[in-house]
Amino acid sequence: MTAARGPRAVLCIVVASAALVGRAEPPSADTRRNELIVAALASQETLWREIGHQDPGPTNSCRELFTAALALCEGGRHPERLDRLLELGEQMQDRDPSSPTFGNFRWYWRDAGVTDANAVEFCSFDMHLIWRLHRDFLPARARDRLDSLIGRAIDGCLRHRVPPSYTNIAILNAANLIVLGEVRGRPDAAEEGYHRLDGLAADVWQFGLHEFCSPPYYAIDVQGLAVLERFAERAAGQRLARVLLELVWTDIAVNFFPAAERLAGPHSRTYDYLRGLGGLQQDLRWAGWSGVPVGKGAAVLHVAHARWSPPRQLLALAQTRFPRLVRQSWGPRAAESRTHWLWADVTLGCSGALYGPHDSPLTFDLPGRPGTVRGYFLPDGREDPYGRKKFGTGSAQHQKALHLEPFWVGAQREADALGLVVYRDGDLTGPETINLQSHFVVPRDVDGIRLRGRQVDLPHATEDAPTRIPVSTGDPLVLRKGSAAVGLRVVWARAQDGAPADVALVDDGNRLGALRLTVEHRREEPIASAGAAFWVRVGGGLGSDEAFTAWRTAFEQAVPTTVDVSSDRIRLVAPGLAGAVGITAEPPFSRTSVVRLDPAPSRAVLELDGQDIGRELLERVEPWASFAAARAAERVIDLPVKGAVTIAADAGFVLPRMAVGDDGQGRRFVWQPDTQPPAAAAGSVSWRLRVPVAAKYWLWGRVLAPDGTHDSFSLAVSTADGAEIVAGRWHLPHSAEWAWRASTIGESRGPTSLDLPAGEVQITVLPREVGTRLDALWITTDATARP
């Protein structure tokens, strides 16, 4: 493993590196801005032909209207069209003050009402720039219409409850409230925006960026933060936005693969499994990191309004620091972490858990032009290994190519990774599910493919006559591309009938330049949970045939030391080059299953070669400096072997939007205040406990839950490394007085027992409904005792 550098090493790379010396200078800012405007105007012209003199089509969106208006303003063209665009936007806005979605927008013209609450954020983002930068360009009627639209949209943003884990929309929501609230004289909105920004800051400091390494959504992150950093009136807000910008761009830099000019490694959310591209390519182009031409959407204009830009040191790091190991957490669970190992000519990455139905949890990247097929795992029920079949999803029926959401867990040690997938009955219930396959897609454009040590020569294949080469469990498949190599093995594969599943290397004659290693799980009479495990190894810098042959031989002769599959657990161990890589998982293969990974996942915000540069970056300024000081001073509370202990609620570690309150009579409590407009649940209060011996405990809270809108928390109990013990909603009986209530998780009506292991654990209470109050905890070993 590469030795860790000193503090702030990420910002101390010498810019005049060899990689930079030979790199052509990027186009000037004026040239790039003109490119953006030309592309945006072309997109607007196409839209105008569709809606300029007739009703929009069913799938024309509100977002298109405002980005087209922004494009005209930026280009100084056709002011006479602006009123028509804004009139249509007005028709798509909910203008009923009694409606819960007042101020928001129908996403598509076809919609009867608001189906996607995110619409108000994207429309408001464009409206803000038009109002602030181009108000004088608007004809009077269009200006008055925009004035009314923005006034209602501010209320729509206030009503939009965005969890901080929804990173890109949480950033847009806070930014819109701040910049629109300040420019329009709405201090209530601006104040709420700053509160929500603080809540997001607390969440990132605790758990990292939830929507990790996402080509479409990192674009929204950096654009939203850049506008906030430029236009927020409070210096503290500007600083916070600037540091978050630095964090996101540092994240981009350490995960950037210059040999393919893209964000590499596992992606949390992608709509392009094959190539791993997204809106971020425009930001990379603007920053001079990529030569990919701009796209057509007017939304790319946002990149031109940033005051802050990534320093050249970050590009130097991305181009010169090899090999490097990147690890980062992306959620509260221990397995919600990712690892990415980068050479100059190949990368390998693995996520510890599945993010959702549009992620890429196990990937490799090889050199090539932007748009080259990458290597990736995909759990498939729709016979769509390449993500080409789109269907309507969610209430707005956006067209997306989603995959299944099975149980997934992965581990990685530098150049070796293991991934395990298990399919449960509930994973296969969607109407689009027609099959059950595990794919590992690989590029066809490589210098050589070897299976079981022999060269594979693929005959010409077509969609009607695909080529299928049978592969046995454990067979080594090796790809060579220049000086890089990738080794793949399916180390375990089970079909739905419990028998070994068929595996094949398939060339289905597609024009995409992709092959696939496919496990066929489907059986007519399923009686067992199907699943598969993949072992992937990469090698870089193999500049000669001799070096490649030695690397290939070592992988082909290596045998997994453990493949132990029983009714009680699945345990896998692979002999990695830098040490063993291991996974142990137990039924029921869910969020609360016992999972052990070797090496243990990182809980760093952003770790580079063993150093948490992300948390160091954050803790330079407030509010993170205070969070760190409070965490360092936090007391660990000892639980008794027998008996009970009472813990004051305000003795916990409190992060906004949770707060400590005082009823004026000496009683202090924690809550999410209900004095602000409704906001997404964010923040937390937590207590660190030391458990003397593994035992069963029961938890009570003294609470005030006066009515149906102020009567619940969320509760999580976890080990020190983030493994969940209990997690769920804590519903409380109503009472106008303070009362002791047992913790009842989910739909349980009786007290929930906590099986606590010996050692340190953490209890965390999160807000679910504003105004619910907690002033003490009581923890006992006696199931029948009452406080």
Side-chain angles (χ1 to χ4, degrees):
M1 179 170 154
T2 304
R5 271 66 167 179
R8 309 203 211 296
V10 66
L11 298 179
C12 298
I13 302 291
V14 177
V15 176
S17 62
L20 288 179
V21 169
R23 185 181 178 87
E25 284 298 314
S28 69
D30 286 344
T31 298
R32 284 173 285 157
R33 181 179 175 82
N34 288 337
E35 287 179 348
L36 295 174
I37 291 173
V38 169
L41 287 173
S43 178
Q44 180 278 147
E45 198 65 40
T46 300
L47 177 67
W48 184 256
R49 287 195 294 270
E50 297 174 1
I51 57 92
H53 305 288
Q54 59 189 5
D55 282 348
T59 59
N60 282 125
S61 71
C62 58
R63 188 180 180 185
E64 290 178 295
L65 300 173
F66 293 102
T67 53
L70 177 60
L72 291 175
C73 291
E74 292 281 304
R77 302 282 297 279
H78 296 299
E80 74 281 359
R81 294 181 179 180
L82 291 169
D83 187 60
R84 168 64 175 168
L85 293 170
L86 296 177
E87 177 195 15
L88 292 172
E90 206 168 43
Q91 291 183 46
M92 297 183 77
Q93 188 175 39
D94 184 342
R95 290 172 283 171
D96 178 2
S98 65
S99 169
T101 58
F102 172 65
N104 215 312
F105 294 84
R106 292 156 36 209
W107 189 278
Y108 296 114
W109 186 260
R110 69 187 180 206
D111 297 333
V114 174
T115 56
D116 186 335
N118 298 336
V120 72
E121 308 304 344
F122 291 105
C123 295
S124 297
F125 200 56
D126 286 328
M127 285 193 289
H128 162 255
L129 290 178
I130 296 171
W131 183 263
R132 185 182 289 271
L133 303 176
H134 304 291
R135 187 161 65 244
D136 293 341
F137 179 72
L138 301 176
R141 188 172 176 179
R143 185 164 56 249
D144 290 344
R145 204 182 296 277
L146 181 61
D147 181 54
S148 299
L149 279 159
I150 290 176
R152 291 185 291 267
I154 290 174
D155 287 299
C157 292
L158 283 169
R159 295 173 185 229
H160 188 199
R161 300 166 63 94
V162 186
S165 58
Y166 200 178
T167 312
N168 79 102
I169 303 300
I171 288 172
L172 280 191
N173 178 256
N176 284 331
L177 287 171
I178 290 168
V179 297
L180 281 175
E182 290 175 339
V183 78
R184 291 299 306 278
R186 286 285 302 271
D188 61 321
E191 189 66 31
E192 178 62 15
Y194 283 113
H195 278 301
R196 296 187 188 187
L197 187 62
D198 282 346
L200 175 66
D203 192 80
V204 170
W205 179 80
Q206 277 188 295
F207 307 126
L209 293 163
H210 291 271
E211 292 176 326
F212 62 86
C213 209
S214 173
Y217 292 110
Y218 268 15
I220 298 170
D221 293 347
V222 299
Q223 291 164 24
L225 290 168
V227 166
L228 182 58
E229 191 275 338
R230 177 180 174 185
F231 294 116
E233 293 180 3
R234 296 185 190 177
Q238 292 177 11
R239 280 196 302 272
L240 198 151
R242 189 177 306 121
V243 172
L244 284 171
L245 263 176
E246 289 184 54
L247 174 65
V248 176
W249 271 105
T250 302
D251 191 325
I252 292 168
V254 297
N255 287 293
F256 185 64
F257 185 40
E261 295 186 35
R262 66 184 171 207
L263 200 60
H267 294 167
S268 62
R269 302 182 71 186
T270 181
Y271 302 126
D272 184 1
Y273 304 116
L274 267 173
R275 298 175 175 85
L277 300 180
L280 184 66
Q281 291 299 133
Q282 313 308 333
D283 300 84
L284 295 172
R285 165 77 170 175
W286 181 258
W289 291 26
S290 171
V292 177
V294 298
K296 295 181 179 179
V300 298
L301 289 168
H302 294 297
V303 305
H305 290 289
R307 177 175 60 182
W308 187 93
S309 59
R312 297 268 292 176
Q313 291 95 322
L314 288 180
L315 179 57
L317 183 155
Q319 292 178 320
T320 62
R321 187 156 168 167
F322 298 113
R324 62 178 181 266
L325 180 65
V326 180
R327 304 201 306 163
Q328 58 200 120
S329 63
W330 53 266
R333 297 166 52 214
E336 289 176 341
S337 179
R338 75 185 283 274
T339 302
H340 190 197
W341 174 254
L342 297 94
W343 288 90
D345 50 1
V346 66
T347 91
L348 173 68
C350 184
S351 179
L354 201 68
Y355 178 91
H358 36 44
D359 65 350
S360 297
L362 180 59
T363 67
F364 68 80
D365 288 88
L366 291 167
R369 69 188 188 286
T372 299
V373 172
R374 66 197 313 242
Y376 62 90
F377 163 76
L378 188 138
D380 184 19
R382 305 177 180 101
E383 295 186 350
D384 184 27
Y386 312 119
R388 316 309 286 180
K389 299 178 182 178
K390 297 184 179 182
F391 56 94
T393 62
S395 57
Q397 291 295 290
H398 297 310
Q399 294 292 308
K400 297 179 181 178
L402 304 183
H403 59 62
L404 299 179
E405 293 187 78
F407 174 80
W408 165 271
V409 64
Q412 181 175 349
R413 192 185 298 275
E414 296 190 2
D416 288 271
L418 273 176
L420 168 67
V421 60
V422 177
Y423 299 94
R424 304 151 299 186
D425 290 342
D427 300 328
L428 313 176
T429 57
E432 299 83 13
T433 301
I434 58 175
N435 203 342
L436 182 57
Q437 301 169 312
S438 293
H439 306 290
F440 207 110
V441 174
V442 302
R444 186 192 289 119
D445 182 22
V446 293
D447 298 331
I449 302 174
R450 288 179 175 268
L451 178 63
R452 296 181 290 271
R454 297 183 178 179
Q455 182 71 32
V456 174
D457 295 315
L458 292 168
H460 178 70
T462 66
E463 294 182 5
D464 295 329
T467 297
R468 302 179 61 89
I469 301 176
V471 177
S472 298
T473 301
D475 282 351
L477 177 70
V478 175
L479 312 177
R480 185 181 186 183
K481 175 81 170 184
S483 59
V486 179
L488 283 161
R489 291 177 189 258
V490 178
V491 297
W492 171 69
R494 183 167 67 192
Q496 290 178 298
D497 60 1
D502 295 331
V503 185
L505 177 63
V506 182
D507 181 355
D508 50 22
N510 63 77
R511 299 179 181 179
L512 306 169
L515 308 173
R516 54 187 171 92
L517 183 63
T518 295
V519 181
E520 303 282 355
H521 300 285
R522 188 69 176 264
R523 292 292 187 272
E524 292 300 324
E525 298 182 5
I527 60 173
S529 295
F534 295 86
W535 172 19
V536 188
R537 173 181 291 177
V538 298
L542 307 175
S544 65
D545 290 343
E546 292 77 14
F548 170 74
T549 299
W551 184 94
R552 175 178 62 82
T553 301
F555 179 72
E556 290 170 346
Q557 293 180 353
V559 178
T561 57
T562 304
V563 180
D564 177 11
V565 180
S566 68
S567 60
D568 297 326
R569 68 175 187 178
I570 297 176
R571 183 166 179 259
L572 309 166
V573 181
L577 292 172
V581 184
I583 292 173
T584 301
E586 298 180 5
F589 302 116
S590 68
R591 284 177 57 91
T592 56
S593 289
V594 174
V595 171
R596 288 182 290 275
L597 304 179
D598 184 19
S602 172
R603 301 307 303 159
V605 170
L606 180 62
E607 180 186 300
L608 176 62
D609 295 332
Q611 180 182 351
D612 191 349
I613 60 174
R615 195 165 270 119
E616 288 179 10
L617 182 64
L618 297 179
E619 292 174 0
R620 295 190 319 211
V621 300
E622 295 294 347
W624 297 293
S626 294
F627 296 162
R631 175 66 84 183
E634 187 180 2
R635 181 171 66 94
V636 181
I637 300 164
D638 289 301
L639 295 187
V641 176
K642 292 287 185 181
V645 62
T646 302
I647 305 169
D650 66 343
F653 175 58
V654 181
L655 287 171
R657 297 183 53 95
M658 287 288 264
V660 176
D662 190 323
D663 66 359
Q665 300 177 355
R667 186 186 299 276
R668 291 169 62 79
F669 53 86
V670 293
W671 67 328
Q672 179 174 334
D674 58 1
T675 55
Q676 300 291 337
S684 64
V685 56
S686 60
W687 302 265
R688 292 168 60 191
L689 312 175
R690 187 179 294 112
V691 183
V693 294
K696 200 177 289 289
Y697 289 81
W698 283 263
L699 171 68
W700 293 67
R702 189 160 56 204
V703 300
L704 184 61
D707 55 50
T709 57
H710 306 79
D711 67 346
S712 67
F713 292 109
S714 292
L715 177 70
V717 183
S718 59
T719 62
D721 63 2
E724 284 182 354
I725 298 171
V726 166
R729 299 172 178 175
W730 182 5
H731 294 282
L732 303 164
H734 302 165
S735 173
E737 304 292 334
W738 287 94
W740 285 103
R741 304 297 188 191
S743 64
T744 54
I745 303 303
E747 303 305 318
S748 171
R749 297 194 175 186
T752 302
S753 63
L754 306 177
D755 293 306
L756 301 184
E760 189 173 309
V761 300
Q762 179 168 288
I763 294 177
T764 303
V765 170
L766 304 99
R768 184 170 179 271
E769 291 177 308
V770 298
T772 314
R773 305 183 182 194
L774 171 70
D775 95 319
L777 298 177
W778 190 72
I779 305 173
T780 179
T781 59
D782 185 348
T784 63
R786 299 291 184 272

